[in-house]
Amino acid sequence: MLRSWRVKLKLLLATVTLAVLLSWLYLFVGSLEYGRFLLLPPCLGEQPRRDVEREALASRVRRVEEENQQLRLQLSQVQVEGSDGSPQWGASAEDGDPPGGERSNRTACPKQRTVHKCELLHVAIVCAGHNASRDVVTLVKSILFHRKNPLHFHFITDSVAHQILQTLFQSWMVPSVHVSFYNADDLKAGTSPRLCPPEVSWIPNKHYSGIYGLMKLTLTKALPSNLSKVIVLDTDITFATDIAELWAVFGKFSDKQVIGLVENQSDWYLGNLWKNHKPWPALGRGFNTGVILLLLDRLRRLGWEQMWRLTAERELMSMLSTSLADQDIFNAVIKQDPALVYRLPCFWNVQLSDHTRSEQCYTEVSDLKVIHWNSPKKLRVKNKHVEFFRNLYLTFLEYDGNLLRRELFGCASLPSPPSDQLQQALEELDEDDPCYDFRRQHLTQHRIHLFFLQYEFLALPNPTDVTLVAQLSMDRLQMLEAICKHWAGPISLALYMSDAEAQQFLRYAQASEVLSARRNVAYHIVYKEGQFYPINLLRNVALANTQTPYVFLTDIDFLPMYGLYDYLRNSIQQLELPQRKAALIVPAFETLHYRLTFPKSKAELLSMLDMGSLYTFRYHVWPKGHAPTDYAKWRTATMPYRVAWQPDFEPYVVVRRDCPKYDQRFVGFGWNKVSHIMELDAQEYELLVLPNAFMIHMPHAPSFDISKFRLSAGYRGCLQTLREEFHQDLSRRYGAAALKYLTAERSL
């Protein structure tokens, strides 16, 4: 018995000794920089450090813990062996994990404000032009991928970006995402120069961002007065974490701090980068404005607008212009009053420009929060880990945006009439309907990115101008260069692609000398979703975004004759089309040869037709589609002639831009053009064949949809059902005038 108590006493003394040692280690480590504890995870918002000394201490603590666990195990075994009824004190507070020490450790961390699950986060972005509108989508994807909160994006845009982004977000329909737009033109020069001074247009700026690079200075005035705080981002940002973590940093601001910024990671503001290099004044290395936290209410109370204006006016007297746009002015203000700024940890803005100190911001992937491609070289920037960063960026660049339409469960979303109507229509569908897939495809909401590439065509006042309208998918991309060589006028194209394919197309277009030289070709991306090719949706997208009074409705696999653009404009004028309702028919032919010496005139075409190297379009498989054109009469015609509508007639026509839209219930193959020509006839359009115009269909592999049509009786049956429903709708819209279509259909 005495021996047993001696063992217990030794174990007790060992435990007390270890407790003292651990306490000493905690105190010692607590005196280290940042006051962090080795046995607890770092407090939220503190930057991790992994220096050698701390690693050594951590290793010692782990060894002591292991020894302590072994001693506790031995002690518990001795207690179990004891049978004298003595108290079981060895299992004391250790087994219950005493809260005292834990609480004392936690109170040492500074209080961290948490973001409520459903708190609305506000993000402001300046975006102007086609390229920035394309770049900002990748930023938005990276935010949506990680986010767990409702978001409100505030876009300061020019008219181009406004049209692109408004259409994109309306068609994207991401739950719990709100979007507001603000006119950058008003902020550039003021709403009324006589009554209101210009906002930023008076500031000379050498930065490649131009005048839009100064817009962030005006946010206290541009954004709603009841908005108290906002995260401001450049378009060349990629998020690698939940943006709510950055929003939580607002809770760390002192009473005087109003702006959160990361220190600039280049030597720009230190000066002497080259002879006569003289940067704007800055505090130390200065701050980068790619990521900004703004407390708008405090800034307004401080008179921010007057503050930055006075600073800019004073510095411009010697500097003459800004080199880094708004960043120079922000830094000059902070230099004057350093108490305004809260220093964000540098992982909130890892700046990937040449010769920066960005590598000091991270040691592991988990350290990365925000990546900033702030060099004009963008993805070609010099950095030791650029391949990793590039792959992260490309992941979001090609990520399927449809997957980001995620609900935020537990958060009430504001009512959205379009979304609610779509949901109701989907719920009303009968899943047992044999044609359910067709009806579901018709209701599918496709994301649409208008003007994906630079587009500078301005509609001329000429009332006879005409735009070529077509649609295509990735497998018809090779037709683009040939069409651009044949048609000099404006072109509007809808491209059905995935996110990854859209980037392949972008690289293809930028590498093509023919396509890159054209600025009057509008490319509108309709992102893939569903199992059918939404051909009439694509046509409507391309049609709706034309700017000329007239449109030439064609398909991508046809090459128009050389000079057709000028010929159509002359014909529109000669036939006085502005004063009449007419559709001009361009006769269609085809070749079975992949290489063709394209005819330069009608005479050459007739000669090739006689020799058998050309044929009237689809004469051998679908003669009804173009027979009403009356090719025999066309051979000798010198003047336009009128033809009557006949069942299944589907010519390619030139009409006014405000013509009826294509019926979008027809997806895939079959009746997509036939229904449109039928409605033109129902609206009493004259059908006029042009005597000296032609187009030639180039051969290609059959589409997937035509294969389904040929192989599936169910597909053909559903198409027949859709045709009958279209006839019924036509009768409701046009009354007795539409009866002839139903009669003609029944007589077939």
Side-chain angles (χ1 to χ4, degrees), residues 110-184:
K111 186 178 180 181
Q112 175 63 44
R113 179 184 179 275
T114 58
V115 178
H116 187 271
K117 175 184 176 182
C118 297
E119 183 176 349
L120 182 62
L121 314 185
H122 294 268
V123 181
I125 304 170
V126 178
C127 184
H130 301 84
N131 294 338
S133 299
R134 196 171 59 244
D135 294 340
V136 78
V137 176
T138 307
L139 162 61
V140 171
K141 281 183 182 179
S142 70
I143 294 174
L144 293 178
F145 181 84
H146 296 287
R147 66 106 181 210
K148 298 181 181 66
N149 284 72
L151 297 170
H152 191 151
F153 289 101
H154 302 264
F155 288 105
I156 295 84
T157 63
D158 63 353
S159 58
V160 171
H162 184 190
Q163 181 184 9
I164 294 171
L165 296 178
Q166 186 175 51
T167 302
L168 178 66
F169 277 96
Q170 285 177 351
S171 59
W172 204 342
M173 298 179 71
V174 183
S176 301
V177 170
H178 318 284
V179 183
S180 299
F181 293 94
Y182 310 86
N183 190 349

Side-chain angles (χ1 to χ4, degrees), residues 98 313 365 431-432 457 496 506 519 548 661 669 673-674:
E313 289 171 357
V365 173
E431 294 189 20
D432 295 327
F457 174 78
Y496 192 55
L506 175 62
R519 288 291 182 268
T548 57
K661 292 182 179 180
F669 178 81
K673 288 197 305 294
V674 171

